[in-house]
Amino acid sequence: MSLLLVPTGSHFFWHSQEGERSQSGTLSWSEKEVKELFLNYGQNCVGYLLRHGGTVVSRTVSCLNAKLRAKLSGCLQFQPEENSLTLKLVETGQRLVPAAKHLLFCDTAFFKSLPPEACRYAVPKNLWKKGVRRYGSHGLFHHWVWTKAQAGNPEKIKRVVSVRLGDRSSVAAIYQGRCLEVSCGFTAVEGIPSRHACGDLDPTIIFQLQAAGMTFRDINHLFTAESGFAALAGRDCSFGELVTEPSLKQVSSVIRYNILRYIGACLALLNGLDCLVFTTAWPQAGSFIEEIVAGLEFLGRERIYRLAPEEPLDGGKKAVWFPLNRWQVMAAFLPQR
Amino acid sequence: MNILVFNCGSSSLGYKVFEAEKGTCQVLVSGKAHRVGVKGKEPSFIEHRYGQRHTRQETPIATHRQAAGLVFDYLAGEKVHLDAVGHRFVHGGHLFQKSALVTPENFKKLKACLPLAPLHNPTSLSMIEETGRLHPGLGQYVTFDSAFHTTLPEQAYTYAVPETLRKKFSYRKYGFHGLSYTYVTLKAAEFLRRPLKGLKLVACHLGTGGSSVAAIKDGYSVDTSMGFSPLQGLMMSTRCGDIDPMLSLYLMSVFGYRPDALLDKLNRESGLLGVSGISSDLRDIIQSFHGPEGEDAKLSFSMYVQRLKKYVGAYATILQGMDALIFTDDIGVGNHLVREKLCQEMDWCGLFLDEELNRQAKSDAIYRLEKPGSKVAILTIPTDEEYVICREGEKLLSRRQI
């Protein structure tokens, strides 16, 4: 029996698997419930997702030994809220189920191989030594997409643009397995606006807000908890609502536009593409995806794409392939989480 | 009608007197004050060109106001009649969407724009004050570098921060270099013999100070890389361009950087200078490729090109293909290596550069650099912001006279 723990904001998502049987849920921190979770499901193996490995964790999957655990607090400064939740879960898990196998999954490790042009910011070089670089995000996801996209035809599929759609979206350019560019930067805030975070912003703004009397804590909260879809729509809304609610059409077009811009940047770095992959947990995102693809018709897409028979991916998940004349679009609709 | 146009640089003041008549603008006198407010071994000087005559005068020039006084003295001495004076304002914020005459009411609004571009706007305002003081009867008008981008669609200019803040601080993408984009757009259409309607352009204004890219459709700006301030977008000589919004917060809260010191670092010690550690001048960096600092030089150059390439790709995509890629300003027309690297492996959008033509292109005229069969025209166009300022003034003033 295995247990997977994924921090998301101040909550965490859990998933347990035993043979064919699986269960999942969302919890906020509570000593009693967390204890039950570990004791019920975590006796054999526990996996923890670390959102931001900073300069400390550079492998996608590692065994949590004492040495690694001792270093983990070094990640706290990067994405404090979610990383501290992961750390708290690790500490509790190792105390409650010491005999289980503990694995750490790091969501930034895939981007360790980013070329220097992509991972460096154009700030004075002495700041690079202070941990300033592009770390990326959703590395597990983009890595998985690459594997699946080229699996059928490794000879032909070398340039992949992976678009992850959801409450937090990101776009990555992958060439023969190496990530060349990703929209998330030093943190997952950079890039496409997410459900609560602002995405790309003029660097001057933060200083103006600070001068106007906001504390660092206020600004952090503003950019990570009050911005994004919530700020554009004037209320909290999920990606699912965004792509279906007629009243949110303008908000969804801002997000779609941002995604298209990043896809364009990836196209320039890859000199085109062999496969464009959309992955989302929201089955209602179909028309949102189609509109993005329509914006790329100038690349030489046949006017009408035929739906290929659904091809099963891991665990019975289905992908829909759109075969095109020069390049392919694949949309994988995954079950929620 | 004779129009004097002032164009302030950070340490220079360029000027031109145009003879403007029904849409044509001919340069009558031109000149430039150099090393304004610069303390150094070399002296400040001002030069003038009037017909075939060239004069050069070494004299201390401490401020732009003083430089303006020297220009007016020279023109009075040569008995050059003036009908109006045009100024360039970098940032008109949401208060100015197009060029405007300097009236007492507009002057107040201009004052309100000062904090938007603290390095540039106050200098321009001081020129307006000085002109008014020396020649109170002379008509004055202002043009805005941000005005060209007021046509940006909502999806391109919106920052995803709460509406209360967007309203309070007027946060949106404004964009700059608008006078230059106006000029190259008109010139490109003229050169390609194409109507603006239906023309899709990606223009790169690559200067020795600031740089930006714009996507232009039907003659209107639809997106641009600079944002609320000129700090966003491309990697520039000393400005950092795009960074994670959380990065500054991290440096201030974890490492205790003072906000004003950090903002200064991002504006004046970053970009090409910060990465190379050699120079803010791309030419120095290219010359260092094979020297002891070669690694740093090469990295800063390839970062510069890669960021530009991302924007060109993004804009070609939102325009759904482009008809022409334009390079302008000092680096744009003067540096063939940037163009060569940028255009490598761009066949995905039908762009093929002729490397030989590219190497031979000079910076004195419009050059066409693509290979036969390239779907995208590649042009270098030396920009002329003063010309645009003059034309704007001619339009404004003739309307007033009617």
Side-chain angles (χ1 to χ4, degrees):
Chain A
M1 186 186 292
S2 54
L3 177 66
L4 182 66
L5 302 166
V6 178
T8 146
S10 55
H11 299 70
F12 66 94
F13 167 84
W14 62 271
H15 179 93
S16 80
Q17 189 86 35
E18 185 173 25
E20 288 295 295
R21 278 180 45 226
S22 68
Q23 271 182 289
S24 56
T26 310
L27 274 183
S28 54
W29 184 265
S30 131
E31 204 72 50
K32 187 168 158 273
E33 284 171 314
V34 170
K35 188 172 176 182
E36 274 171 25
L37 199 62
F38 276 112
L39 296 178
N40 286 340
Y41 305 109
Q43 297 291 354
N44 292 339
C45 179
V46 190
Y48 308 84
L49 181 78
L50 182 70
R51 288 277 183 196
H52 202 309
T55 44
V56 178
V57 186
S58 54
R59 288 171 56 190
T60 301
V61 192
S62 352
C63 274
L64 262 166
N65 53 25
K67 200 175 146 202
L68 178 60
R69 212 178 59 221
K71 289 198 297 186
L72 275 185
S73 59
C75 306
L76 277 176
Q77 61 196 32
F78 293 100
Q79 206 156 322
E81 196 176 10
E82 290 177 328
N83 275 1
S84 64
L85 190 54
T86 301
L87 256 66
K88 221 152 108 178
L89 289 167
V90 166
E91 193 187 290
T92 313
Q94 295 205 316
R95 183 162 44 81
L96 290 173
V97 284
K101 189 169 187 180
H102 297 264
L103 297 173
L104 187 75
F105 296 90
C106 174
D107 225 3
T108 54
F110 182 53
F111 308 107
K112 193 80 182 168
S113 64
L114 278 176
E117 289 85 352
C119 75
R120 292 305 181 193
Y121 286 103
V123 295
K125 237 167 57 179
N126 59 342
L127 294 180
W128 297 358
K129 297 190 196 103
K130 301 194 186 318
V132 171
R133 65 165 271 164
R134 181 180 298 278
Y135 291 97
S137 192
H138 314 133
L140 291 160
F141 221 90
H142 291 301
H143 190 187
W144 178 85
V145 161
W146 157 256
T147 334
K148 291 299 155 198
Q150 59 89 56
N153 199 342
E155 277 307 301
K156 258 187 121 173
I157 294 184
K158 293 187 167 138
R159 302 165 298 175
V160 172
V161 176
S162 166
V163 184
R164 177 197 201 266
L165 297 174
D167 285 349
R168 304 178 192 208
S169 298
S170 64
V171 179
I174 305 162
Y175 182 71
Q176 293 193 318
R178 183 185 186 190
C179 188
L180 296 187
E181 186 61 74
V182 59
S183 59
C184 290
F186 176 70
T187 69
V189 170
E190 191 180 355
I192 297 151
S194 65
R195 185 168 180 167
H196 298 118
C198 57
D200 294 329
L201 208 61
D202 190 303
T204 307
I205 287 177
I206 196 169
F207 296 95
Q208 212 183 25
L209 294 174
Q210 195 271 338
M214 286 181 80
T215 63
F216 294 154
R217 185 184 282 267
D218 293 340
I219 298 172
N220 182 56
H221 192 259
L222 174 72
F223 287 171
T224 58
E226 297 171 33
S227 296
F229 310 166
L232 294 171
R235 67 172 173 91
D236 182 32
C237 60
S238 69
F239 182 73
E241 287 174 77
L242 195 76
V243 294
T244 47
E245 282 258 342
S247 63
L248 298 173
K249 218 173 151 191
Q250 186 55 34
V251 183
S252 109
S253 80
V254 173
I255 304 304
R256 199 172 47 239
Y257 183 78
N258 271 279
I259 292 170
L260 201 57
R261 235 176 354 200
Y262 270 105
I263 293 175
C266 293
L267 286 171
L269 297 181
L270 293 170
N271 190 16
L273 82 171
D274 301 313
C275 189
L276 173 63
V277 187
F278 293 94
T279 28
T280 178
W282 303 89
Q284 58 272 58
S287 58
F288 185 84
I289 294 173
E290 281 182 40
E291 280 182 72
I292 294 177
V293 176
L296 296 168
E297 272 179 18
F298 75 99
L299 290 172
R301 166 175 178 264
E302 281 174 343
R303 188 65 194 89
I304 297 160
Y305 48 81
R306 289 152 286 132
L307 288 177
E310 293 191 346
E311 295 178 28
L313 294 167
D314 286 357
K317 293 156 192 163
K318 305 278 196 225
V320 187
W321 289 81
F322 307 105
L324 305 168
N325 59 351
R326 281 175 56 196
W327 47 285
Q328 306 186 48
V329 177
M330 179 175 107
F333 296 100
L334 308 177
Q336 289 274 356
R337 299 285 175 196
Chain B
M1 174 163 41
N2 285 357
I3 299 179
L4 166 63
V5 169
F6 280 126
N7 190 0
C8 300
S10 51
S11 60
S12 67
L13 172 70
Y15 81 90
K16 276 180 189 167
V17 180
F18 288 93
E19 209 170 26
E21 229 53 72
K22 290 186 190 115
T24 63
C25 302
Q26 293 290 333
V27 180
L28 205 61
V29 192
S30 65
K32 196 170 186 176
H34 299 261
R35 311 181 61 80
V36 176
V38 178
K39 290 190 193 89
K41 279 183 206 150
E42 292 168 55
S44 309
F45 65 96
I46 184 162
E47 52 181 344
H48 312 276
R49 276 175 205 281
Y50 187 7
Q52 298 297 314
R53 256 178 316 124
H54 179 221
T55 46
R56 186 180 188 278
Q57 181 195 358
E58 276 184 21
T59 175
I61 310 173
T63 62
H64 284 82
R65 278 175 189 268
Q66 207 184 335
L70 291 170
V71 172
F72 281 118
D73 287 348
Y74 175 80
L75 294 175
E78 296 291 333
K79 300 199 166 45
V80 177
H81 170 75
L82 294 177
D83 295 289
V85 181
H87 301 273
R88 170 187 177 198
F89 231 68
V90 166
H91 203 324
H94 65 291
L95 294 173
F96 292 98
Q97 318 231 311
K98 51 179 192 241
S99 306
L101 293 167
V102 178
T103 59
E105 191 193 333
N106 280 341
F107 189 79
K108 267 186 228 153
K109 277 161 70 181
L110 288 171
K111 263 191 161 163
C113 295
L114 293 187
L116 293 172
L119 298 178
H120 303 96
N121 281 355
T123 314
S124 302
L125 195 79
S126 76
M127 298 296 292
I128 295 172
E129 282 176 334
E130 190 67 7
T131 305
R133 195 177 67 81
L134 295 170
H135 298 278
L138 208 51
Q140 297 194 66
Y141 66 93
V142 249
T143 56
F144 299 90
D145 261 317
S146 51
F148 184 66
H149 304 293
T150 50
T151 51
L152 251 56
E154 192 178 337
Q155 55 194 16
Y157 73 66
T158 308
Y159 291 122
V161 295
E163 198 183 358
T164 45
L165 283 181
R166 271 179 275 150
K167 287 228 164 101
K168 187 175 171 193
F169 295 99
S170 308
Y171 286 148
R172 58 160 275 170
K173 178 179 275 199
Y174 288 103
F176 304 95
H177 299 135
L179 300 169
S180 176
Y181 288 130
T182 306
Y183 183 80
V184 298
T185 300
L186 294 173
K187 282 288 158 186
E190 198 181 293
F191 187 85
L192 297 168
R193 296 166 194 259
R194 291 268 308 262
L196 284 175
K197 181 89 191 135
L199 195 61
K200 297 189 281 192
L201 307 172
V202 175
C204 311
H205 176 106
L206 309 176
T208 46
S211 298
S212 68
V213 191
I216 300 160
K217 192 180 175 187
D218 301 331
Y220 297 109
S221 175
V222 292
D223 208 340
T224 187
S225 60
M226 280 183 171
F228 172 72
S229 78
L231 187 53
Q232 196 180 359
L234 295 175
M235 170 175 173
M236 297 169 233
S237 300
T238 62
R239 282 179 230 155
C240 61
D242 294 327
I243 54 170
D244 192 310
M246 306 307 280
L247 196 62
S248 311
L249 215 52
Y250 165 82
L251 289 169
M252 291 189 286
S253 58
V254 177
F255 292 97
Y257 280 93
R258 285 201 350 265
D260 48 346
L262 184 59
L263 182 59
D264 201 58
K265 257 187 201 307
L266 299 180
N267 266 309
R268 294 172 200 265
E269 293 169 33
S270 297
L272 287 168
L273 177 65
V275 173
S276 71
I278 300 167
S279 167
S280 60
D281 190 327
L282 203 56
R283 287 168 301 184
D284 295 342
I285 288 170
I286 291 170
Q287 275 177 2
S288 311
F289 276 1
H290 301 292
E293 292 154 320
E295 288 301 306
D296 293 337
K298 281 181 197 160
L299 177 61
S300 60
F301 178 80
S302 59
M303 280 173 70
Y304 181 88
V305 173
Q306 169 136 335
R307 279 142 188 264
L308 181 58
K309 194 162 184 157
K310 278 167 65 181
Y311 272 102
V312 171
Y315 291 167
T317 300
I318 58 153
L319 291 171
Q320 308 201 359
M322 54 181 162
D323 298 309
L325 175 65
I326 299 167
F327 294 93
T328 192
D329 212 26
D330 294 348
I331 296 176
V333 298
N335 197 305
H336 69 90
L337 203 56
V338 169
R339 297 192 299 261
E340 185 182 305
K341 291 289 170 199
L342 178 73
C343 295
Q344 264 168 11
E345 301 194 338
M346 286 286 268
D347 39 302
W348 68 279
C349 61
L351 183 121
F352 298 92
L353 177 83
D354 185 316
E355 293 192 3
E356 195 48 44
L357 287 178
N358 181 48
R359 261 192 296 274
Q360 286 165 2
K362 295 191 284 273
S363 48
D364 57 337
I366 301 182
Y367 288 88
R368 193 170 182 157
L369 309 175
E370 77 274 14
K371 274 186 184 155
S374 174
K375 275 199 275 179
V376 184
I378 306 170
L379 304 176
T380 57
I381 305 179
T383 196
D384 192 345
E385 291 162 334
E386 291 88 0
Y387 174 85
V388 179
I389 301 174
C390 169
R391 248 183 53 130
E392 287 288 299
E394 203 237 341
K395 278 193 276 177
L396 268 175
L397 297 163
S398 56
R399 212 176 299 148
R400 187 181 60 165
Q401 279 160 2
I402 294 161

